[in-house]
Amino acid sequence: MDGVRTVNGSATDGSSRRRRAGTGERVADWADGRLGTNTAANSLMRKVFPDHWSFMLGEVCLYSFLVLILTGIYLTLFFEPSGAEVVYHGSYGPLKGIIMTRAYESTLHISFDVRGGLLIRQIHHWAALVFVAGMLVHMMRVFFTGAFRKPREVNWLFGWTLLMLALITGLTGYSLPDDLLSGTGVRFAQGAILSVPVVGTYLAFFLFGGEFPGHDIISRFFPVHVLLLPGIMLGLVVAHLILVFYHKHTQYPGPGRNEKSVVGMPFMPVYMAKAGGFFFLVFGVLALLGGIATINPVWAFGPYRPDLVTTGAQPDWYLGFSEGLIRVMPGWEINAWGHTLQLGVFIPFMLFPLIMTAIGVYPFIEAWLTGDRREHHILDRPRNVPVRTALGVAWLTLYGVLLMGGGNDIWATRFHLSINAITWFVRIAFFAAPTVAFIVTKRICLGLQRRDHDTVLHGRESGIIKRLPNGEYVEVHEPLSQAQLFTRTQHEQTPPYEIGPLVDANGVTRRVGPGRRLRARLAKAMYGPSAQIPKPTAEEYRALTRDGDHH
């Protein structure tokens, strides 16, 4: 009969088989029959991911972001984003009877009266710092290895946007407790906004709801911090991960790895198990930091008052770049047509987003210089792209110099130095340090290229001295393995873009626009003879090994 079969002498049908199936299997069958999930799941679960420690930097960002969301939800249940003034009667004795805002009072309540509140606050703050630091280091890894090239330019923009939103989210969250330290930071931001020509006053009045400090800033920052920005960031994180799956993961050069194949472990179960363990490791480290390392003790600063400023007021490290620009900038002013233009504030205020914008569009600039429209899934070794590597190190050097400028008062008090001397040092180093870092880094990269060239041709020094029959002493060199030879010689060295002859075969002068001339100059500087050492050819290698040069 149809639908009936015999097992051990008894008849069974399809319904009895379904009864014996597990609940999970039945749910999977139900979903597959309607959504076709099994085929997609099988494809995703078997997707191969390469294994390298630097790829964990992105996971640190992801897991820190998840910790931020979890702890932020908990803190939202107790925080009151109100600028209304109250008299404190809580459990922290030194502040009893002090007038403060409801926002500051609820922050003290979370810290001293809510079970586990202080721990969650500190985990949240540490997770924010690690999240931004992880994104910065992760983006530097992507930059130095060229992982932003086609087809990942859009994913680079997603990551860059996440970094910018994280900076703004950090500023808004840092300002919510309304303590004296965060209030000083908000005052700093308000002064920078006022420096914008023509519309600065209107922007400040709109943001603060009137004269500083106003009564609306906390209630406005709160939804931006807990709803708007996290919602956008969550969408960008999801889109970023989808593109990582779609484009397949980049990998470092090595045997068996090319633009069409990936060498690594499957997503399930190997990679998923490692990722799950790494999440709890990151969560544990953040919890440990929150439990033993005090951060942002708002009770020590007291409530914000416009007429007071804390000693050594510093923003979180990721905003020290912008504050350093403003602190070391000369106090230039221009008075014209009845208006005062504060160049000493406006120029640094605009320079920070300009530098960040240059970082965001860099992949498109490099693609324009090279004219390369191919897909790239194999990463560059930083030494093989000296100019790009030197630019990255120069930017990091500039960041470090300005971070020092943002804390010039701390350096002066801790090391007993003149704050004026520190300011002038930062002003000079702003121009000199990145230049020196660029030159030194480029020379180091070229030196490493020369070492690779010699090691490929002559082998690695073994330390063994051999005496030849003629009495000559030579050191025995060990030839590299095929895998090591491949890793050191797999990169391409394409000639830079050139304009070509300015006069054609008929003697007619070609018209070359300034854009093409600029492209040719930049391409030559980045990929010309001064920016790379020619890698050894197969003929050179065979000639030397045939003559016994390795021994």
Side-chain angles (χ1 to χ4, degrees):
M1 293 183 295
D2 293 340
V4 179
R5 63 187 179 91
T6 302
V7 179
N8 293 333
S10 61
T12 63
D13 58 15
S15 61
S16 62
R17 291 198 303 272
R18 285 193 295 271
R19 283 195 299 271
R20 287 197 302 271
T23 303
E25 183 179 349
R26 292 199 302 273
V27 172
D29 289 342
W30 183 91
D32 183 56
R34 291 155 180 81
L35 304 174
T37 55
N38 284 5
T39 302
N42 288 336
S43 173
L44 292 176
M45 294 303 101
R46 300 304 299 172
K47 192 173 183 66
V48 174
F49 280 81
D51 191 14
H52 193 271
W53 67 266
S54 65
F55 298 152
M56 291 185 178
L57 296 171
E59 295 183 48
V60 170
C61 303
L62 176 62
Y63 302 149
S64 300
F65 183 63
L66 294 178
V67 173
L68 275 172
I69 292 177
L70 294 174
T71 53
I73 292 173
Y74 182 84
L75 295 174
T76 303
L77 301 176
F78 304 97
F79 182 74
E80 296 185 37
S82 172
E85 292 186 342
V86 297
V87 178
Y88 181 69
H89 296 290
S91 58
Y92 185 64
L95 292 179
K96 283 187 177 181
I98 301 296
I99 298 176
M100 60 186 64
T101 60
R102 291 288 296 171
Y104 186 67
E105 182 194 40
S106 64
T107 305
L108 295 177
H109 176 71
I110 292 172
S111 302
F112 296 108
D113 301 312
V114 175
R115 186 179 298 274
L118 180 58
L119 176 63
I120 298 299
R121 265 196 66 235
Q122 299 209 143
I123 292 176
H124 188 76
H125 203 134
W126 277 114
L129 298 181
V130 173
F131 176 54
V132 180
M135 278 198 295
L136 180 62
V137 178
H138 176 61
M139 289 188 69
M140 287 297 100
R141 196 277 300 174
V142 171
F143 179 84
F144 286 126
T145 59
F148 54 77
R149 294 172 295 173
K150 184 181 178 181
R152 296 176 179 82
E153 303 97 330
V154 174
N155 227 5
W156 169 267
L157 289 179
F158 283 168
W160 178 87
T161 306
L162 276 169
L163 179 60
M164 294 298 294
L165 291 177
L167 298 181
I168 300 173
T169 307
L171 175 63
T172 55
Y174 168 86
S175 306
L176 286 178
D178 198 36
D179 60 286
L180 189 56
L181 181 62
S182 67
T184 303
V186 175
R187 181 65 163 176
F188 174 87
Q190 188 247 4
I193 294 172
L194 286 174
S195 70
V196 178
V198 182
V199 298
T201 304
Y202 299 98
L203 290 175
F205 267 66
F206 172 77
L207 182 62
F208 292 92
E211 289 285 355
F212 181 86
H215 298 285
D216 300 332
I217 188 64
I218 298 174
S219 58
R220 291 180 178 181
F221 273 179
F222 183 72
V224 171
H225 180 74
V226 304
L227 289 177
L228 179 62
L229 295 179
I232 298 174
M233 293 172 68
L234 184 59
L236 288 173
V237 168
V238 172
H240 184 81
L241 294 177
I242 290 175
L243 286 180
V244 169
F245 268 84
Y246 177 72
H247 291 144
K248 75 183 181 182
H249 207 292
T250 55
Q251 56 187 336
Y252 286 93
R257 303 172 184 178
N258 54 49
E259 304 292 358
K260 297 183 179 179
S261 64
V262 179
V263 178
M265 297 294 182
F267 184 70
M268 284 289 290
V270 179
Y271 189 82
M272 197 63 170
K274 293 173 63 178
F278 195 52
F279 167 75
F280 288 107
L281 180 61
V282 172
F283 203 161
V285 170
L286 292 175
L288 185 64
L289 285 172
I292 65 175
T294 301
I295 187 169
N296 196 24
V298 295
W299 56 88
F301 307 131
Y304 177 67
R305 284 178 49 181
D307 59 330
L308 296 178
V309 176
T310 55
T311 302
Q314 301 294 313
D316 286 329
W317 68 269
Y318 47 83
L319 292 175
F321 181 96
S322 58
E323 179 154 344
L325 279 169
I326 292 181
R327 286 197 183 193
V328 303
M329 181 72 184
W332 296 341
E333 292 183 1
I334 294 179
N335 295 309
W337 300 288
H339 296 277
T340 300
L341 182 60
Q342 292 283 352
L343 296 180
V345 178
F346 179 66
I347 291 178
F349 184 57
M350 296 306 299
L351 190 59
F352 175 72
L354 286 176
I355 294 175
M356 297 301 294
T357 301
I359 295 173
V361 302
Y362 180 85
F364 303 95
I365 296 175
E366 184 170 309
W368 174 65
L369 291 179
T370 60
D372 188 358
R373 303 183 184 277
R374 299 169 299 167
E375 291 191 2
H376 293 275
H377 303 290
I378 298 296
L379 299 173
D380 289 327
R381 300 176 76 202
R383 68 185 65 182
N384 293 330
V385 196
V387 175
R388 182 206 295 157
T389 303
L391 286 173
V393 174
W395 183 85
L396 291 175
T397 303
L398 177 64
Y399 194 99
V401 167
L402 291 176
L403 191 62
M404 181 185 299
N408 55 2
D409 53 341
I410 301 296
W411 287 91
T413 55
R414 296 295 172 87
F415 295 95
H416 306 290
L417 300 173
S418 166
I419 195 169
N420 291 327
I422 296 174
T423 300
W424 274 104
F425 170 80
V426 174
R427 288 175 179 175
I428 296 172
F430 177 85
F431 300 98
T435 304
V436 172
F438 179 89
I439 295 172
V440 171
T441 302
K442 183 180 176 181
R443 291 182 65 86
I444 290 174
C445 290
L446 292 174
L448 292 174
Q449 285 190 40
R450 290 189 183 93
R451 188 182 71 176
D452 284 347
H453 181 279
D454 295 340
T455 305
V456 167
L457 293 179
H458 304 290
R460 182 183 292 107
E461 297 177 354
S462 65
I464 301 175
I465 306 299
K466 181 179 179 181
R467 182 179 182 183
L468 301 180
N470 61 2
E472 179 184 2
Y473 288 92
V474 297
E475 182 180 15
V476 177
H477 284 208
E478 298 177 352
L480 301 180
S481 65
Q482 290 299 316
Q484 293 171 327
L485 290 173
F486 177 82
T487 301
R488 285 165 172 78
T489 59
Q490 55 78 38
H491 61 283
E492 298 179 352
Q493 290 185 327
T494 55
Y497 169 80
E498 295 181 351
I499 298 176
L502 298 179
V503 180
D504 62 16
N506 298 321
V508 178
T509 303
R510 296 170 53 228
R511 297 185 62 182
V512 180
R516 294 182 61 186
R517 293 180 183 272
L518 176 63
R519 178 184 176 187
R521 291 193 185 99
L522 293 177
K524 182 178 180 181
M526 193 161 188
Y527 299 102
S530 64
Q532 56 186 4
I533 304 299
K535 63 180 183 180
T537 63
E539 291 75 15
E540 290 178 310
Y541 179 76
R542 284 193 292 266
L544 286 172
T545 53
R546 183 173 58 249
D547 296 338
D549 184 76
H550 286 308
H551 303 285

